[in-house]
Amino acid sequence: MTIYSFWIFDRHCNCIYHKDYKRPYRQLRPRSDFGPGTNDEKKQTSGGPPTGKGPLSVDDDAKLVFGVVFSLRNIVTKLAGEKESFFVYRTSKYKLHFYETQTNLRFVMITDLKVDGIRPILEQIHAGLYVEYVIKNPLSPVEHANGVGVNNELFNLGLDRFLRPLSIFE
Amino acid sequence: MVVYSLYILNKAAGLIYQRDFNEGLKRLSSNDYLVLSGTFHAVYAIASQISPVPSSSGIEVLETETFRLQCFQTLTGTKFLLISEPRQQNTDAILRRIYELYADYVIKNPFYQIEMPVRCDLFDRHLATFIKGIP
C-alpha cells in the first residue's frame, strides 16, 4: 500500500498543506490538447529534451487536483443532491480519496490501487491531528492568507507518525 | 441491483446518447446533461494528468454514497458512462456488453453519422431488454 501524496484545501480553495511521499515521476505538461485518441506514451517523456512547458510545479499540481475535486463534487451534487459527495475515484494507475468536513475543509489523498477504505483514516487525520494540533493551536491563523499554509511542527510530526506505519515506502 | 442511467459521449465531449432506466437520481434538464458530460470529459483528461505514475487512464470508477459511476473509454475516444447502485456487481461486463450493442446497432447502421446523436431504434430496444435482464 503506497501513499503518493496528501493535500489539504481550505474553504477558500487554497492549498494549505501538501505532502509528497513518493513521486517517482513528475509529468511534463503536453503542448497539444488532451485528445483521447492520441498516444499518451508519446507525450509523457520523463528524460530527454523538454517538449512542453516543463515539469508541473507543486502549485500547478495543487490547482489541477483542486479543480478535479471541485468539478467532481459539482457533478455528484447535480446527480445525487446537495448533501452528497464522492469518496474515491479510481483510474488505471492510482486512486484519489476525498473527505470534506462540515467546515468545507477538503482532505485529498492520492494512493496506489491496492488501497481500500481510507476514509476512516482521513477522518482520523482531521479529528485526531488537524483539530488537535492546528485548530486548537491559539497561535495558528484562522484564515490562511496567500501562501501561508499549515506550518505546524506538531501536525507534521503527528501526520508522519500516523501514516508511516500504514504505508510502504521504498 | 439497479442501473440508473447510461450516457454516451463522443470524442468532442458531446453527449450523443442519454437514457434513464430507473428512478433514483435527480431529474435533470437536457442542458444539465450536456454540461455534465462536458465537465466529466474535462475531469477525465485532467485525472490522467495529475497521476503520480506515468500513463494513467482517466477516471474509471467514481464512488459515492448513493451511486457508482463507471466510465469505459474505447480506443476511438467514445466514452460510456454507467451510473448504478453502489453495490452493483459486474459493471465492467455490463459496459462491455453495451459497447457490443453500440457497435452492432449504431455503428453498423448505414444511416447513422458518426459522432452525431444516436437515434437508432434497434439499439434502444436491445439496450432496454439487456438492462431489464440484469439480475
Side-chain angles (χ1 to χ4, degrees), chain A residues 4 22-30 34 36-37 40-41 43-44 56 61 64-65 67-68 71-72 75-82 84-94 96 110, chain B residues 5 7 11 24-26 28 32 35-36 39-41 43 45-70 73 75-77 79 83:
Chain A
Y4 290 121
K22 182 178 158 71
R23 190 99 195 174
Y25 179 84
R26 278 237 160 224
Q27 300 233 9
L28 287 179
R29 208 182 311 168
F34 311 84
D40 276 327
E41 273 78 3
K43 278 189 264 176
Q44 293 161 15
L56 290 179
D61 232 4
L64 283 180
V65 169
V68 164
S71 308
L72 279 179
I75 290 178
V76 171
T77 310
K78 270 226 187 83
L79 283 172
E82 278 304 318
E84 294 299 327
S85 183
F86 75 100
F87 302 149
V88 62
Y89 79 71
R90 170 174 77 73
T91 77
S92 62
K93 293 282 164 70
Y94 71 92
L96 185 142
I110 301 182
Chain B
S5 48
Y7 296 69
K11 255 202 284 251
L25 299 176
K26 277 167 68 178
L28 296 174
D32 276 339
V35 167
L36 209 140
T39 317
F40 185 82
H41 177 97
V43 168
I46 299 179
S48 70
Q49 292 289 309
I50 63 177
S51 167
V53 177
S55 64
S56 166
S57 76
I59 298 179
E60 287 183 359
V61 180
L62 176 77
E63 287 181 34
T64 81
E65 231 168 303
T66 41
F67 69 88
R68 175 197 162 101
L69 185 148
Q70 183 119 3
Q73 177 170 282
L75 292 164
T76 51
K79 292 191 196 30
I83 306 186

Coordinates of all heavy atoms in Angstrom, one line a residue, chain A residues 4 22-30 34 36-37 40-41 43-44 56 61 64-65 67-68 71-72 75-82 84-94 96 110, chain B residues 5 7 11 24-26 28 32 35-36 39-41 43 45-70 73 75-77 79 83:
Chain A
Y4 N 1.0 8.2 -2.4 CA 1.8 9.1 -3.2 C 1.8 10.5 -2.7 O 2.9 11.1 -2.6 CB 1.3 9.1 -4.6 CG 1.5 7.8 -5.4 CD1 0.4 7.1 -5.9 CD2 2.7 7.3 -5.5 CE1 0.6 5.9 -6.5 CE2 2.9 6.1 -6.2 CZ 1.8 5.4 -6.7 OH 2.0 4.2 -7.3
K22 N 5.8 9.9 -2.2 CA 6.5 9.1 -3.2 C 6.1 9.6 -4.6 O 5.0 9.5 -5.0 CB 6.2 7.6 -3.1 CG 6.9 6.7 -4.0 CD 6.5 5.3 -3.7 CE 6.8 4.4 -4.9 NZ 8.2 4.1 -5.1
R23 N 7.0 10.3 -5.2 CA 6.6 10.9 -6.5 C 7.6 10.4 -7.5 O 8.6 11.1 -7.9 CB 6.7 12.4 -6.4 CG 6.1 13.1 -7.6 CD 4.7 13.5 -7.3 NE 4.1 13.8 -8.5 CZ 2.8 14.2 -8.6 NH1 2.1 14.2 -7.5 NH2 2.3 14.5 -9.7
P24 N 7.5 9.2 -8.1 CA 8.5 8.7 -9.0 C 8.6 9.4 -10.3 O 9.5 9.3 -11.0 CB 8.0 7.2 -9.2 CG 6.6 7.3 -8.9 CD 6.3 8.3 -7.9
Y25 N 7.6 10.3 -10.5 CA 7.5 10.8 -11.9 C 6.7 12.1 -11.9 O 5.6 12.1 -11.4 CB 6.8 9.7 -12.7 CG 6.6 10.1 -14.2 CD1 7.6 10.0 -15.1 CD2 5.4 10.7 -14.6 CE1 7.4 10.3 -16.4 CE2 5.2 11.0 -15.9 CZ 6.2 10.8 -16.8 OH 6.0 11.2 -18.1
R26 N 7.3 13.1 -12.3 CA 6.6 14.4 -12.4 C 6.2 14.6 -13.9 O 7.1 14.6 -14.7 CB 7.4 15.6 -12.0 CG 7.4 15.7 -10.5 CD 7.0 17.1 -10.1 NE 6.5 17.0 -8.7 CZ 5.4 17.6 -8.2 NH1 4.7 18.2 -9.0 NH2 5.1 17.4 -7.0
Q27 N 5.0 14.7 -14.2 CA 4.5 14.7 -15.6 C 4.9 16.0 -16.3 O 4.9 17.1 -15.7 CB 3.0 14.7 -15.6 CG 2.5 13.4 -15.0 CD 1.6 12.7 -15.9 OE1 1.5 13.0 -17.0 NE2 0.9 11.7 -15.4
L28 N 5.3 15.9 -17.6 CA 5.5 17.0 -18.4 C 4.2 17.5 -18.9 O 3.4 16.7 -19.2 CB 6.4 16.7 -19.6 CG 7.9 16.5 -19.3 CD1 8.6 16.1 -20.6 CD2 8.5 17.7 -18.7
R29 N 4.0 18.8 -19.0 CA 2.7 19.3 -19.5 C 2.7 19.2 -21.0 O 3.6 19.7 -21.6 CB 2.5 20.7 -19.0 CG 1.0 21.0 -18.9 CD 0.8 22.5 -18.5 NE 1.6 22.9 -17.4 CZ 1.8 24.1 -17.0 NH1 1.2 25.1 -17.7 NH2 2.5 24.5 -16.0
P30 N 1.8 18.5 -21.6 CA 1.8 18.3 -23.0 C 1.5 19.6 -23.7 O 0.7 20.4 -23.2 CB 0.8 17.2 -23.3 CG -0.1 17.4 -22.2 CD 0.7 17.8 -21.0
F34 N -5.8 17.4 -24.9 CA -5.9 16.0 -24.2 C -6.7 15.1 -25.1 O -7.6 14.5 -24.6 CB -6.6 16.1 -22.9 CG -6.1 17.2 -22.0 CD1 -6.6 18.5 -22.1 CD2 -5.2 16.9 -21.0 CE1 -6.2 19.5 -21.3 CE2 -4.8 17.9 -20.1 CZ -5.3 19.2 -20.3
P36 N -8.3 12.1 -26.6 CA -8.3 10.7 -26.1 C -7.7 9.7 -27.1 O -7.1 8.7 -26.7 CB -9.7 10.4 -25.9 CG -10.5 11.3 -26.7 CD -9.6 12.5 -26.9
G37 N -7.8 10.0 -28.4 CA -7.2 9.0 -29.3 C -5.7 9.1 -29.5 O -5.1 8.2 -30.0
D40 N -0.7 8.6 -25.6 CA -0.3 9.2 -24.3 C 1.2 8.9 -24.1 O 1.9 9.8 -23.6 CB -1.1 8.6 -23.1 CG -2.4 9.3 -23.0 OD1 -2.4 10.5 -23.3 OD2 -3.3 8.7 -22.5
E41 N 1.7 7.8 -24.5 CA 3.1 7.5 -24.2 C 4.0 8.5 -24.9 O 5.0 8.9 -24.3 CB 3.4 6.1 -24.7 CG 3.1 4.9 -23.8 CD 1.6 4.6 -23.7 OE1 0.9 5.2 -24.5 OE2 1.3 3.8 -22.9
K43 N 3.6 11.6 -25.4 CA 3.6 12.9 -24.8 C 4.4 12.9 -23.5 O 5.1 13.8 -23.1 CB 2.2 13.4 -24.4 CG 1.5 14.0 -25.6 CD 0.2 14.7 -25.2 CE -0.9 13.7 -25.5 NZ -2.2 14.2 -25.0
Q44 N 4.3 11.8 -22.8 CA 4.9 11.8 -21.4 C 6.3 11.2 -21.4 O 6.5 10.0 -21.1 CB 4.0 11.0 -20.5 CG 2.7 11.6 -20.3 CD 1.7 10.7 -19.7 OE1 2.0 9.6 -19.3 NE2 0.4 11.1 -19.8
L56 N 5.5 19.9 -14.1 CA 4.4 20.6 -13.3 C 5.0 21.0 -12.0 O 5.6 20.2 -11.3 CB 3.2 19.7 -13.1 CG 2.4 19.4 -14.3 CD1 1.3 18.5 -13.9 CD2 1.8 20.7 -14.9
D61 N 0.2 21.6 -9.8 CA -0.4 20.3 -9.4 C -1.6 20.6 -8.4 O -2.6 19.9 -8.5 CB 0.7 19.5 -8.6 CG 0.8 18.2 -9.2 OD1 0.1 17.9 -10.2 OD2 1.6 17.3 -8.7
L64 N -4.6 21.7 -10.3 CA -5.2 20.7 -11.0 C -6.0 19.7 -10.1 O -7.2 19.4 -10.4 CB -4.2 19.9 -11.8 CG -3.7 20.5 -13.1 CD1 -2.7 19.5 -13.7 CD2 -4.8 20.8 -14.0
V65 N -5.4 19.4 -9.0 CA -6.0 18.4 -8.1 C -7.3 19.1 -7.5 O -8.4 18.5 -7.5 CB -5.1 18.1 -6.9 CG1 -5.8 17.3 -5.8 CG2 -4.0 17.2 -7.4
G67 N -9.0 21.4 -8.9 CA -10.0 21.5 -10.0 C -10.8 20.2 -10.2 O -12.0 20.2 -10.4
V68 N -10.0 19.1 -10.2 CA -10.7 17.9 -10.4 C -11.7 17.6 -9.3 O -12.8 17.2 -9.5 CB -9.6 16.7 -10.4 CG1 -10.2 15.4 -10.2 CG2 -8.8 16.8 -11.7
S71 N -14.8 20.0 -9.5 CA -15.7 19.6 -10.6 C -16.4 18.3 -10.3 O -17.6 18.2 -10.6 CB -14.9 19.5 -11.9 OG -14.2 20.6 -12.1
L72 N -15.7 17.4 -9.8 CA -16.4 16.1 -9.5 C -17.5 16.3 -8.4 O -18.6 15.7 -8.5 CB -15.4 15.1 -9.0 CG -14.6 14.4 -10.1 CD1 -13.7 13.4 -9.5 CD2 -15.6 13.6 -11.0
I75 N -20.5 17.6 -10.1 CA -21.2 16.5 -10.8 C -22.0 15.7 -9.9 O -23.2 15.4 -10.1 CB -20.2 15.6 -11.6 CG1 -19.6 16.4 -12.8 CG2 -20.9 14.4 -12.1 CD1 -18.5 15.6 -13.5
V76 N -21.4 15.3 -8.8 CA -22.1 14.5 -7.8 C -23.3 15.2 -7.2 O -24.4 14.7 -7.1 CB -21.2 14.0 -6.7 CG1 -21.9 13.3 -5.6 CG2 -20.1 13.1 -7.3
T77 N -23.1 16.5 -6.9 CA -24.3 17.3 -6.4 C -25.4 17.4 -7.4 O -26.6 17.2 -7.0 CB -23.8 18.7 -6.0 OG1 -22.6 18.6 -5.3 CG2 -24.8 19.4 -5.3
K78 N -25.0 17.5 -8.7 CA -26.1 17.6 -9.7 C -26.8 16.3 -9.8 O -28.1 16.3 -9.9 CB -25.5 17.9 -11.0 CG -25.3 19.3 -11.4 CD -25.8 19.5 -12.8 CE -25.5 21.0 -13.2 NZ -24.1 21.1 -13.7
L79 N -26.1 15.2 -9.7 CA -26.8 13.9 -9.9 C -27.5 13.4 -8.6 O -28.6 12.8 -8.7 CB -25.7 12.8 -10.3 CG -25.3 12.9 -11.7 CD1 -24.1 11.9 -11.9 CD2 -26.4 12.5 -12.6
A80 N -26.9 13.6 -7.5 CA -27.5 13.0 -6.3 C -28.1 13.9 -5.3 O -28.8 13.5 -4.4 CB -26.4 12.1 -5.6
G81 N -27.8 15.2 -5.4 CA -28.4 16.1 -4.4 C -27.4 16.8 -3.6 O -26.2 16.6 -3.7
E82 N -27.8 17.8 -2.8 CA -26.9 18.8 -2.2 C -26.0 18.2 -1.2 O -24.8 18.6 -1.1 CB -27.8 19.8 -1.5 CG -28.3 20.9 -2.3 CD -27.2 21.6 -3.1 OE1 -26.2 21.9 -2.5 OE2 -27.4 21.9 -4.3
E84 N -24.6 15.3 -1.0 CA -23.7 14.1 -1.3 C -22.4 14.6 -1.8 O -22.2 15.7 -2.3 CB -24.4 13.4 -2.5 CG -25.7 12.7 -2.1 CD -25.4 11.7 -1.0 OE1 -24.4 11.1 -1.0 OE2 -26.4 11.6 -0.2
S85 N -21.4 13.7 -1.5 CA -20.1 14.0 -2.1 C -19.4 12.6 -2.4 O -19.9 11.6 -1.9 CB -19.2 14.7 -1.1 OG -18.0 15.0 -1.7
F86 N -18.4 12.6 -3.2 CA -17.8 11.3 -3.6 C -16.7 11.0 -2.6 O -16.1 11.8 -1.9 CB -17.3 11.4 -5.0 CG -16.0 12.1 -5.2 CD1 -14.8 11.4 -5.3 CD2 -16.0 13.5 -5.3 CE1 -13.6 12.1 -5.5 CE2 -14.8 14.2 -5.5 CZ -13.6 13.5 -5.6
F87 N -16.5 9.7 -2.5 CA -15.4 9.2 -1.5 C -14.1 9.1 -2.2 O -13.1 9.4 -1.7 CB -15.7 7.8 -1.0 CG -17.0 7.6 -0.3 CD1 -17.7 6.4 -0.4 CD2 -17.6 8.6 0.4 CE1 -18.9 6.2 0.3 CE2 -18.8 8.4 1.1 CZ -19.4 7.2 1.0
V88 N -14.2 8.4 -3.4 CA -12.9 7.9 -4.0 C -13.2 7.8 -5.5 O -14.3 7.5 -5.9 CB -12.5 6.6 -3.4 CG1 -13.5 5.5 -3.6 CG2 -11.2 6.1 -3.9
Y89 N -12.2 8.1 -6.3 CA -12.2 7.7 -7.7 C -11.0 6.9 -8.0 O -9.9 7.1 -7.4 CB -12.5 8.8 -8.6 CG -11.3 9.7 -9.0 CD1 -10.3 9.2 -9.8 CD2 -11.3 11.0 -8.6 CE1 -9.2 10.0 -10.2 CE2 -10.2 11.8 -9.0 CZ -9.2 11.4 -9.8 OH -8.2 12.2 -10.1
R90 N -11.1 6.0 -9.0 CA -10.0 5.1 -9.4 C -9.7 5.3 -10.9 O -10.6 5.4 -11.7 CB -10.4 3.7 -9.1 CG -9.4 2.7 -9.6 CD -9.8 1.3 -9.2 NE -10.9 0.7 -9.9 CZ -10.9 0.3 -11.1 NH1 -9.8 0.3 -11.8 NH2 -12.0 -0.2 -11.7
T91 N -8.4 5.3 -11.2 CA -8.1 5.3 -12.6 C -7.3 4.0 -12.8 O -7.2 3.2 -11.9 CB -7.2 6.5 -13.0 OG1 -5.9 6.2 -12.5 CG2 -7.7 7.7 -12.5
S92 N -6.6 3.8 -13.9 CA -5.9 2.6 -14.1 C -4.7 2.5 -13.3 O -4.1 1.4 -13.1 CB -5.6 2.4 -15.6 OG -4.7 3.4 -16.0
K93 N -4.2 3.6 -12.8 CA -2.9 3.6 -12.1 C -2.9 4.1 -10.6 O -2.0 3.8 -9.9 CB -1.8 4.4 -12.8 CG -1.5 3.8 -14.2 CD -0.5 2.7 -14.1 CE -0.4 1.8 -15.3 NZ 0.2 2.5 -16.4
Y94 N -4.0 4.9 -10.3 CA -4.0 5.4 -8.9 C -5.4 5.6 -8.4 O -6.3 5.5 -9.2 CB -3.2 6.7 -8.8 CG -3.9 7.9 -9.5 CD1 -4.7 8.8 -8.8 CD2 -3.7 8.2 -10.9 CE1 -5.4 9.8 -9.4 CE2 -4.4 9.2 -11.5 CZ -5.2 10.0 -10.7 OH -5.9 11.1 -11.3
L96 N -7.8 8.3 -5.9 CA -7.8 9.6 -5.2 C -8.9 9.5 -4.2 O -10.1 9.2 -4.6 CB -8.0 10.7 -6.2 CG -8.0 12.1 -5.6 CD1 -7.3 13.1 -6.6 CD2 -9.3 12.6 -5.3
I110 N -3.8 10.8 -2.5 CA -3.6 10.0 -3.8 C -2.7 8.8 -3.4 O -1.6 8.9 -2.9 CB -2.9 10.8 -4.9 CG1 -3.7 12.1 -5.2 CG2 -2.7 10.0 -6.1 CD1 -3.1 12.9 -6.2
Chain B
S5 N -28.6 5.0 -15.0 CA -28.6 5.6 -16.4 C -27.3 5.4 -17.1 O -26.4 4.9 -16.6 CB -28.9 7.1 -16.3 OG -28.1 7.7 -15.3
Y7 N -24.8 7.1 -20.2 CA -24.5 8.3 -21.1 C -23.5 7.9 -22.1 O -22.5 7.1 -21.7 CB -23.9 9.4 -20.2 CG -24.8 10.0 -19.2 CD1 -25.1 9.3 -18.1 CD2 -25.2 11.4 -19.3 CE1 -25.9 9.9 -17.1 CE2 -26.0 11.9 -18.3 CZ -26.3 11.2 -17.2 OH -27.1 11.8 -16.2
K11 N -16.1 11.9 -29.1 CA -14.7 12.3 -28.9 C -14.6 13.8 -28.5 O -13.7 14.2 -27.8 CB -14.0 12.2 -30.3 CG -13.0 11.1 -30.4 CD -12.0 11.4 -31.5 CE -12.7 11.2 -32.8 NZ -12.2 10.0 -33.5
G24 N -34.2 7.2 -9.2 CA -33.2 7.1 -8.1 C -32.3 8.3 -8.1 O -31.9 8.8 -7.1
L25 N -32.1 8.9 -9.3 CA -31.3 10.1 -9.3 C -32.2 11.3 -9.5 O -33.4 11.2 -9.9 CB -30.3 10.0 -10.4 CG -29.3 8.9 -10.3 CD1 -28.4 8.9 -11.5 CD2 -28.4 9.1 -9.1
K26 N -31.6 12.5 -9.3 CA -32.4 13.7 -9.5 C -32.8 13.9 -11.0 O -32.1 13.5 -11.9 CB -31.6 14.9 -9.1 CG -31.7 15.2 -7.6 CD -30.6 16.2 -7.2 CE -31.0 17.6 -7.8 NZ -30.0 18.6 -7.4
L28 N -33.0 15.9 -14.3 CA -32.2 17.0 -14.8 C -32.7 17.4 -16.1 O -33.3 16.7 -16.9 CB -30.7 16.5 -15.0 CG -30.0 16.1 -13.7 CD1 -28.6 15.5 -14.1 CD2 -29.8 17.3 -12.9
D32 N -28.6 20.4 -18.5 CA -27.8 19.9 -17.4 C -27.0 18.7 -17.8 O -25.8 18.5 -17.5 CB -28.7 19.4 -16.2 CG -29.0 20.6 -15.3 OD1 -28.3 21.6 -15.3 OD2 -30.1 20.5 -14.6
V35 N -24.0 19.8 -19.9 CA -23.0 20.4 -19.0 C -22.2 19.3 -18.3 O -21.0 19.3 -18.2 CB -23.6 21.4 -18.0 CG1 -22.6 21.8 -16.9 CG2 -24.1 22.6 -18.7
L36 N -23.0 18.4 -17.8 CA -22.4 17.3 -17.0 C -21.4 16.5 -17.9 O -20.3 16.1 -17.4 CB -23.5 16.3 -16.6 CG -23.3 15.5 -15.3 CD1 -24.6 15.5 -14.6 CD2 -22.9 14.1 -15.6
T39 N -18.3 18.5 -18.5 CA -17.4 18.6 -17.3 C -16.7 17.2 -17.0 O -15.5 17.2 -16.7 CB -18.3 18.9 -16.0 OG1 -19.2 19.9 -16.3 CG2 -17.4 19.3 -14.9
F40 N -17.4 16.2 -17.2 CA -16.8 14.9 -17.0 C -15.7 14.6 -18.0 O -14.6 14.1 -17.6 CB -17.8 13.7 -17.0 CG -17.2 12.4 -16.7 CD1 -17.1 12.1 -15.3 CD2 -16.7 11.6 -17.6 CE1 -16.5 10.9 -15.0 CE2 -16.1 10.4 -17.3 CZ -16.0 10.0 -16.0
H41 N -15.9 15.0 -19.2 CA -14.8 14.8 -20.2 C -13.6 15.5 -19.8 O -12.4 14.9 -19.8 CB -15.3 15.3 -21.5 CG -14.3 15.2 -22.6 ND1 -14.3 14.1 -23.5 CD2 -13.3 16.0 -23.0 CE1 -13.3 14.3 -24.4 NE2 -12.7 15.4 -24.1
V43 N -12.7 16.5 -16.7 CA -12.1 15.9 -15.5 C -11.4 14.6 -15.8 O -10.3 14.3 -15.2 CB -13.3 15.7 -14.5 CG1 -12.8 14.8 -13.3 CG2 -13.7 17.0 -13.9
A45 N -9.8 13.9 -18.5 CA -8.5 14.2 -19.1 C -7.5 14.7 -18.0 O -6.4 14.3 -18.0 CB -8.7 15.3 -20.1
I46 N -8.0 15.6 -17.1 CA -7.1 16.1 -16.1 C -6.7 15.0 -15.1 O -5.5 15.0 -14.6 CB -7.7 17.3 -15.3 CG1 -8.1 18.4 -16.3 CG2 -6.8 17.8 -14.2 CD1 -8.7 19.5 -15.6
A47 N -7.6 14.0 -14.8 CA -7.2 12.9 -13.9 C -6.0 12.2 -14.4 O -5.2 11.7 -13.7 CB -8.4 12.0 -13.7
S48 N -5.9 12.0 -15.7 CA -4.7 11.3 -16.2 C -3.5 12.2 -16.2 O -2.4 11.7 -16.2 CB -5.0 10.8 -17.7 OG -5.0 11.9 -18.5
Q49 N -3.7 13.5 -16.1 CA -2.5 14.4 -15.9 C -1.9 14.4 -14.5 O -0.7 14.6 -14.4 CB -3.0 15.8 -16.3 CG -3.3 16.1 -17.7 CD -2.1 16.0 -18.6 OE1 -1.1 16.7 -18.3 NE2 -2.1 15.2 -19.6
I50 N -2.8 14.4 -13.5 CA -2.3 14.5 -12.2 C -1.8 13.2 -11.6 O -1.4 13.1 -10.5 CB -3.3 15.1 -11.2 CG1 -4.5 14.2 -11.1 CG2 -3.7 16.4 -11.6 CD1 -5.5 14.7 -10.0
S51 N -1.7 12.2 -12.4 CA -1.3 10.9 -12.0 C 0.1 10.9 -11.5 O 1.0 11.4 -12.2 CB -1.5 9.9 -13.1 OG -0.8 8.7 -12.7
P52 N 0.5 10.3 -10.3 CA 1.8 10.2 -9.9 C 2.6 9.2 -10.7 O 3.9 9.2 -10.6 CB 1.7 9.8 -8.4 CG 0.4 9.1 -8.3 CD -0.5 9.8 -9.3
V53 N 1.9 8.4 -11.4 CA 2.6 7.3 -12.1 C 2.4 7.6 -13.6 O 1.3 8.0 -14.0 CB 2.0 5.9 -11.7 CG1 2.6 4.8 -12.5 CG2 2.2 5.7 -10.2
P54 N 3.3 7.3 -14.5 CA 3.1 7.6 -15.9 C 2.0 6.8 -16.6 O 1.6 5.8 -16.1 CB 4.5 7.3 -16.5 CG 5.2 6.4 -15.6 CD 4.7 6.8 -14.2
S55 N 1.5 7.4 -17.6 CA 0.5 6.8 -18.5 C -0.7 6.2 -17.7 O -1.0 5.0 -17.8 CB 1.1 5.8 -19.4 OG 1.6 4.7 -18.7
S56 N -1.4 7.0 -17.0 CA -2.6 6.6 -16.3 C -3.7 6.8 -17.3 O -3.7 7.8 -18.1 CB -2.8 7.3 -15.0 OG -4.1 7.1 -14.5
S57 N -4.8 6.1 -17.1 CA -6.0 6.4 -17.9 C -6.7 7.5 -17.1 O -6.3 8.0 -16.1 CB -6.9 5.2 -18.0 OG -7.5 5.0 -16.7
G58 N -7.9 7.9 -17.6 CA -8.7 8.8 -16.8 C -9.5 8.1 -15.8 O -9.2 7.0 -15.4
I59 N -10.5 8.8 -15.3 CA -11.3 8.2 -14.2 C -12.1 7.0 -14.7 O -12.8 7.0 -15.7 CB -12.3 9.2 -13.7 CG1 -11.6 10.4 -13.1 CG2 -13.2 8.6 -12.6 CD1 -12.6 11.4 -12.6
E60 N -11.9 5.8 -14.0 CA -12.6 4.6 -14.4 C -13.8 4.4 -13.6 O -14.9 4.0 -14.0 CB -11.7 3.4 -14.4 CG -10.7 3.5 -15.5 CD -9.8 2.2 -15.6 OE1 -10.0 1.4 -14.7 OE2 -9.0 2.2 -16.5
V61 N -13.7 4.6 -12.2 CA -14.8 4.4 -11.3 C -14.8 5.5 -10.4 O -13.8 6.0 -9.9 CB -14.6 3.1 -10.5 CG1 -15.7 2.9 -9.6 CG2 -14.4 1.9 -11.4
L62 N -16.1 6.0 -10.1 CA -16.2 7.1 -9.1 C -17.3 6.6 -8.2 O -18.4 6.2 -8.6 CB -16.7 8.4 -9.8 CG -17.1 9.5 -8.9 CD1 -15.8 10.2 -8.5 CD2 -18.0 10.5 -9.7
E63 N -17.0 6.6 -6.9 CA -17.9 6.0 -5.9 C -18.4 7.1 -4.9 O -17.6 7.9 -4.4 CB -17.2 4.9 -5.1 CG -17.0 3.7 -5.9 CD -16.4 2.6 -5.1 OE1 -16.6 2.5 -3.8 OE2 -15.6 1.8 -5.6
T64 N -19.7 7.1 -4.7 CA -20.3 8.0 -3.7 C -21.2 7.1 -2.9 O -21.3 5.9 -3.0 CB -21.1 9.2 -4.3 OG1 -22.4 8.7 -4.7 CG2 -20.4 9.7 -5.6
E65 N -21.9 7.8 -2.0 CA -22.8 7.1 -1.1 C -24.0 6.5 -1.8 O -24.6 5.5 -1.5 CB -23.3 8.0 0.0 CG -23.1 7.4 1.4 CD -23.2 8.4 2.5 OE1 -22.5 9.4 2.5 OE2 -24.1 8.2 3.3
T66 N -24.6 7.3 -2.8 CA -25.8 6.9 -3.4 C -25.7 6.3 -4.8 O -26.6 5.6 -5.3 CB -26.8 8.1 -3.5 OG1 -26.0 9.2 -4.0 CG2 -27.4 8.4 -2.2
F67 N -24.5 6.5 -5.4 CA -24.4 5.9 -6.7 C -22.9 5.6 -7.0 O -22.0 6.0 -6.3 CB -25.0 6.7 -7.8 CG -24.2 8.0 -8.1 CD1 -23.2 8.0 -9.0 CD2 -24.6 9.2 -7.4 CE1 -22.5 9.2 -9.2 CE2 -23.9 10.3 -7.7 CZ -22.8 10.4 -8.6
R68 N -22.7 4.8 -8.1 CA -21.4 4.5 -8.5 C -21.3 4.8 -10.0 O -22.2 4.3 -10.8 CB -21.2 3.0 -8.2 CG -19.9 2.4 -8.7 CD -20.1 0.9 -8.7 NE -19.1 0.3 -9.5 CZ -18.0 -0.3 -9.1 NH1 -17.8 -0.3 -7.8 NH2 -17.1 -0.9 -9.9
L69 N -20.3 5.5 -10.5 CA -20.2 5.9 -11.9 C -19.1 5.1 -12.5 O -17.9 5.3 -12.0 CB -20.1 7.4 -12.0 CG -20.1 8.0 -13.4 CD1 -20.6 9.4 -13.3 CD2 -18.7 8.1 -14.0
Q70 N -19.3 4.4 -13.5 CA -18.2 3.6 -14.2 C -18.1 4.2 -15.6 O -19.0 4.4 -16.3 CB -18.6 2.2 -14.2 CG -17.5 1.3 -14.9 CD -17.0 0.3 -13.9 OE1 -17.5 0.2 -12.8 NE2 -16.0 -0.5 -14.3
Q73 N -13.7 4.0 -21.7 CA -13.3 4.8 -22.9 C -12.8 3.8 -23.9 O -11.9 3.0 -23.7 CB -12.2 5.8 -22.6 CG -11.8 6.5 -23.9 CD -10.9 7.7 -23.6 OE1 -11.4 8.8 -23.3 NE2 -9.7 7.5 -23.9
L75 N -11.1 2.7 -27.7 CA -9.9 3.1 -28.4 C -10.2 4.3 -29.4 O -9.2 5.0 -29.7 CB -9.3 2.0 -29.2 CG -8.8 0.8 -28.3 CD1 -8.6 -0.4 -29.2 CD2 -7.5 1.3 -27.7
T76 N -11.4 4.5 -29.7 CA -11.8 5.6 -30.6 C -12.1 6.9 -29.9 O -12.5 7.9 -30.5 CB -13.0 5.2 -31.5 OG1 -14.0 4.7 -30.7 CG2 -12.6 4.1 -32.5
G77 N -12.1 6.9 -28.6 CA -12.4 8.1 -27.8 C -13.8 8.3 -27.4 O -14.1 9.3 -26.8
K79 N -16.8 7.6 -24.9 CA -16.9 7.2 -23.5 C -18.3 6.7 -23.2 O -19.3 7.4 -23.5 CB -16.6 8.4 -22.6 CG -15.2 8.9 -22.6 CD -15.0 9.9 -21.5 CE -13.8 10.7 -21.7 NZ -13.3 11.1 -23.0
I83 N -24.2 4.8 -14.7 CA -24.5 5.2 -13.3 C -25.4 4.1 -12.7 O -26.5 3.9 -13.2 CB -25.1 6.5 -13.2 CG1 -24.2 7.5 -14.0 CG2 -25.3 7.0 -11.8 CD1 -24.7 8.9 -13.9

